[in-house]
Amino acid sequence: MQKDAERHEPRACDAGLSRAFAFLGKRWNGVIIGTLVQGPAGFSELKRAVAGISDSVLSERLTELTAAGLVQRTVDDGPPVTVVYRATPASEALIPALDAIAVWARDNLD
């Protein structure tokens, strides 16, 4: 039998942190949010800003981020019809965390 001092609680990551990284850690989500907190953008502008993302993946991620309340999608009937994406207050609340991650990456990753 183990003594009380030798018993260890199983380690687990904070549930909130796990949820955040499950969503923000999904490829491109954090980068898209980081781009939109700089200002509203259309699809083409986002595609240029997020180098390497395909049209279909960008569309899928924007749909997910919109459904999660982190991105607002606005359609202007035009003509021409335009769609603009912008950060919501929920995604703007991520700015300090995203800035800290960017500093950490510059300091610690090659």
Side-chain angles (χ1 to χ4, degrees), residues 16-103:
L17 186 62
S18 291
R19 286 181 36 227
F21 272 97
F23 192 78
L24 294 175
K26 191 170 188 178
R27 188 157 188 196
W28 307 115
N29 280 353
V31 175
I32 293 168
I33 291 170
T35 302
L36 288 175
V37 297
Q38 297 173 35
F43 189 90
S44 295
E45 187 178 356
L46 281 171
K47 176 94 165 74
R48 284 189 301 274
V50 183
I53 193 169
S54 69
D55 288 352
S56 61
V57 172
L58 178 57
S59 179
E60 181 182 310
R61 295 301 185 265
L62 286 168
T63 299
E64 291 172 356
L65 292 166
T66 300
L70 294 170
V71 169
Q72 179 186 15
R73 181 181 186 267
T74 305
V75 179
D76 180 8
D77 294 332
V81 174
T82 57
V83 178
V84 175
Y85 298 92
R86 63 182 31 90
T88 64
S91 58
E92 289 171 353
L94 288 167
I95 292 172
L98 294 175
D99 287 346
I101 290 170
V103 168

